Amino acid sequence: MESLWHTIEELVDAQRRVITAFGLLLFPRGCAGCGKPDEVVCPQCYRQLTQWQQQSIDTRICSSGVVCSCARYQGAVRHMILSWKDKGDWQCDRVFAQSMRSLITHADITTVFNQLPKTITILVVPVPSSHASRRKRGRWHTVVLARAVAQQCRTQGWNAQSVALLSMRLTAAKSLTLSRGTSRSTRLAGRLKLTRKAVRYRNTHGNTPLCVILVDDIITTGATIRACSTQLQEAGFPVFTALSIAMV
Ligand SMILES: [Zn+2]
């Protein structure tokens, strides 16, 4: 069943590539980073997505002690991300998927990943967006990144799958939204909830050795990662690391 899903994912990806190629022929466009004509992302801007970043994090949040990103959130990278997530430039999907896959193969980050035994199951979890953002964008954009990471982990020999373990409540508990001075991670924690899929997974795979890799578009203060990790670890899903396109 799992391999069927992987085949379907690959077919959808191939279909996207064909649509993108035709789209460029029919509707010429500019690079999402610098505006250079006839490119989704030009080679110079793509190179900026390979300036891998690593930052330490409390091992109680991510057991590896680091979070990693493809680039710094600045200049062309910032333009590309904003164009992709807020202006509906879905042709960038492939570019970001590719940069997330390369991130895992980068020498320094491979060292981090090599801590994981091949016998472990990796659950790649997209960081959830609010219902309002999903409605505005018409989709859950971090899923694209999570799928790419899972695909690369499988290529490197792990049993990995992208699975939405967390979602966002429509509204937070009132006390959390109203009280001043509540930290961002506490406010977020009040809105995050485990999905039905997560509960089902825990019930059926209770004894499987597993770990979670969180995937987000931008890591800023780390508050989101902290909130997601706390929720997952309380539910018995140990979090290994977090990956993102960019880091502030
Ligand atoms: Zn460019």
Side-chain angles (χ1 to χ4, degrees), residues 9-116:
E9 268 177 30
E10 274 155 26
L11 282 174
V12 170
D13 195 41
Q15 191 189 25
R16 271 200 209 113
R17 280 200 293 272
V18 173
I19 293 173
T20 304
F22 274 111
L24 280 176
L25 279 176
L26 294 172
F27 308 104
R29 53 162 292 159
C31 163
C34 68
K36 193 175 159 191
D38 301 333
E39 308 257 17
V40 175
V41 166
C42 73
Q44 286 90 328
C45 288
Y46 185 76
R47 259 199 297 282
Q48 296 198 38
L49 284 174
T50 56
Q51 308 301 310
W52 296 281
Q53 308 288 320
Q54 204 169 301
Q55 208 178 83
S56 303
I57 193 165
D58 191 327
T59 50
R60 285 169 299 181
I61 308 296
C62 293
S63 61
S64 66
V66 284
V67 292
C68 315
S69 302
C70 304
R72 278 210 173 280
Y73 187 61
Q74 59 188 10
V77 172
R78 185 171 163 272
H79 285 294
M80 285 184 260
I81 295 177
L82 291 178
S83 170
W84 176 63
K85 62 183 256 193
D86 292 335
K87 295 182 189 157
D89 189 354
W90 57 266
Q91 289 182 324
C92 288
D93 280 10
R94 236 186 97 226
V95 176
F96 290 131
Q98 175 60 41
S99 65
M100 292 303 283
R101 283 199 296 266
S102 314
L103 175 66
I104 304 170
T105 58
H106 178 250
D108 294 345
I109 290 154
T110 300
T111 320
V112 176
F113 272 79
N114 282 345
Q115 296 172 31
L116 289 174

